Amino acid sequence: MISGKTEAIWEKWYPWIFASISAMCSYFFNLSTNIITVFLSEITTVAAIFIGFLGTLAGILLTTQSKAVSFMKEIGKLEPVLGYIWGSIRLLFLLIIVSVGLQAIKLPNGSLFSLIWVFIFTVAIISAYRALDISLSLLRSVSKCKD
């Protein structure tokens, strides 16, 4: 059985671990930068949509007066959830900035920039998923609790 502390450490670091693994795989398997450059504008659009969605979710969590959110504040779970959301938004902004920058230059295969982009892409997407998953599962579990 995994302890709560180990689970919290894993929850915090797994996006970074998987991003490192994906960057290493793209290096060792020589990921073509043509694949990356074809989807840069679409990824920029999707990242912007994720930012809007996560920002709206954070705004709702901060302003709502529901019992579920009040309970989350009482047990100290709202701040970590908001931290995951804000962290995801920052990473998605970084992904947009790097993607827009890479659209302006021609990348050679196996370049350091493509590896950095793969790392940022993976950590941003997994972090956004983590923030969304934690928020929704916490709200779901809290909404099942009755006073």
Side-chain angles (χ1 to χ4, degrees), residues 13-28 115-116 118-123 126:
W13 290 103
Y14 84 87
W16 300 93
I17 292 167
F18 282 116
S20 299
I21 292 169
S22 69
M24 285 188 286
C25 288
S26 69
Y27 174 76
F28 288 119
L115 297 177
I116 291 170
V118 168
F119 179 84
I120 293 170
F121 170 78
T122 307
V123 76
I126 292 175

Side-chain angles (χ1 to χ4, degrees), residues 36 39-48 95-96 99 117 121 125:
I36 294 172
F39 295 110
L40 283 175
S41 64
E42 289 83 359
I43 288 169
T44 303
T45 302
V46 170
L95 177 63
I96 289 172
S99 295
W117 184 87
F121 170 78
I125 296 301

Side-chain angles (χ1 to χ4, degrees), residues 5 17 32 44 50 53-54 62 71 82 85 87 91 95 102-103 112 116 118 121 123 129-130 143:
K5 186 175 181 175
I17 292 167
S32 172
T44 303
F50 280 170
F53 181 77
L54 290 171
L62 287 170
F71 182 70
L82 290 173
I85 292 172
L91 287 167
L95 177 63
L102 290 180
Q103 287 177 7
L112 181 62
I116 291 170
V118 168
F121 170 78
V123 76
Y129 170 77
R130 175 187 62 186
S143 69

